[in-house]
Amino acid sequence: MIKRELYMKRIRPFIGSDLVKVMTGIRRCGKSVMLELIKDELKASGVDSSQFISINFEDMRYTYLQTAQALHDEITKLASSIDGKVYLFFDEIQEVTDWEKCINSLRITLDCDVYITGSNAKLLSGELATYLGGRYVEFIIYPFSFAEFLELYHLTAPDESISSCFQKYLVSGGMPYLSNLRYAEEPSIQYLTDLFNSVQLKDIVKRNKVRDVDLLERITAYIMSNIGTPFSASSLVKFLKNEKRSVSADTILNYLKYCCDAYLFYQVKRQDLQGKQLLSSNEKYYIADHGIREAVFGGNMRDINLILENIIYMELLRRGYTVTVGKEGNKEVDFVCDKRGERLYIQVTYLLASPETIQREFGVYDNIRDNFPKYVVSLDEFDMSRNGIKHRNIRDFLLEDSWA
């Protein structure tokens, strides 16, 4: 179990506070491990494990607790026998009906410290805003970064170079459980395929009462094949019409939202860098874990330019950036990244293999006159920085502590 310090340093200041700590993210991305890491921190600070109450609501043994009243009664009973503060850990809390009411009541009636996880972005919408408004902090947990993958993969293959480890990362992705399979190809593909099916069934179809599963499957396949490629709902309507499926743009947008709510895909809007406004059409979508794409759709090495973009985009989210696609005249910057007044521009390509490619990738910055850092990242081994624009090898870039 690796320490995932990127997340722990954000969570640590809130440990012991009366705010509810909420960890969300795609199924199996490591949220349960985060709960264990928090328990380790508490025990190291002198808290006795007898003060912990932990429930994973995907465990059939706790099915009888999947209503707010039943859970409230059980926790109140268990807490009555604990001296001092009670530490509550609830995994996949969305399985509990009206869980918000239960958590709010426990927070009021008990001396407790609450940690919950869930696999849906809508966990923190609707009634929760009423019951816990201003009394929670959210942390989105993502699959392993390349640095985290490297740490675990080296336990399996200690003599592998960083370059060959990155080759493995390109096809395996960062879902934590793969380390238990020692990253063996066939078991990894089977696991990731089953994970994708579970997300699709439990977090998209079941939660949103999707009736047309065939349509959903066609849409997810289209998105995976076009990762990082701008498109509109109307273009997808035309594509599906060619496949003899008649569907409205509104239905497509709803299905895409369901996928994003389940943290399977992330939508990236386009921004006009001159007008400083968000554009309403032709968004891009990236997948939470590119290993899932390889297992379900295939072709990561064939589409390596798209996969490199996906990897950089997810790393930006891990590091807390808000990301848009930048439009400057007829040119586009892959990523415009903002974090508390700090801005970066990043252009991603496979290789700077010709003068035309070099001009295209560096030339997107010609009319951007501000002094924020501008990067071109690729798999090239030689530094081709020029005109104040920094060039980085993508492996080195992902392993750097800071890009400012």
Side-chain angles (χ1 to χ4, degrees), residues 59-85:
D59 188 331
M60 288 289 288
R61 291 176 298 170
Y62 300 114
T63 302
Y64 72 101
L65 295 178
Q66 290 186 356
T67 66
Q69 191 64 57
L71 179 60
H72 184 275
D73 293 346
E74 179 74 3
I75 298 303
T76 302
K77 183 175 74 174
L78 292 172
S80 65
S81 62
I82 295 175
D83 292 328
K85 198 181 196 76

Side-chain angles (χ1 to χ4, degrees), residues 219 233 248-258 267 283 285:
I219 291 172
S248 71
D250 284 344
T251 299
I252 287 172
L253 290 172
N254 284 336
Y255 280 26
L256 287 172
K257 187 176 187 307
Y258 299 157
Q267 183 196 71
E283 294 93 352
Y285 288 84

Side-chain angles (χ1 to χ4, degrees), residues 25-29 142-144 168-176 178 188-200 203-204 220-221 224-225 227 259 262-266 286-300 307 310-311 314:
I26 190 172
R27 193 173 289 268
R28 304 286 172 262
C29 69
Y142 302 99
F144 281 162
K168 187 68 175 177
Y169 185 62
L170 284 170
V171 293
S172 296
M175 296 309 290
L178 296 190
S188 295
I189 289 174
Q190 180 69 54
Y191 172 78
L192 291 172
T193 302
D194 291 345
L195 169 60
F196 171 77
N197 292 334
S198 179
V199 170
Q200 190 164 254
D203 299 321
I204 301 175
T220 55
M224 282 195 278
S225 68
I227 285 297
C259 292
Y263 295 104
L264 178 61
F265 298 129
Y266 288 84
Y286 293 96
I287 192 166
D289 179 70
H290 56 280
I292 293 175
R293 183 188 190 269
E294 175 69 21
V296 175
F297 182 78
N300 277 13
I307 300 308
N310 204 107
I311 288 170
M314 294 306 300

Side-chain angles (χ1 to χ4, degrees), residues 113-124:
D113 187 13
V114 185
Y115 302 84
I116 63 178
T117 78
S119 300
N120 194 280
K122 289 165 71 176
L123 196 71
L124 294 173

Side-chain angles (χ1 to χ4, degrees), residues 312-332:
I312 291 292
Y313 173 72
M314 294 306 300
E315 184 67 16
L316 288 164
L317 294 189
R318 281 186 201 96
R319 298 193 185 202
Y321 286 97
T322 300
V323 185
T324 56
V325 176
K327 188 174 186 301
E328 174 67 39
N330 61 353
K331 298 177 180 179
E332 276 198 352

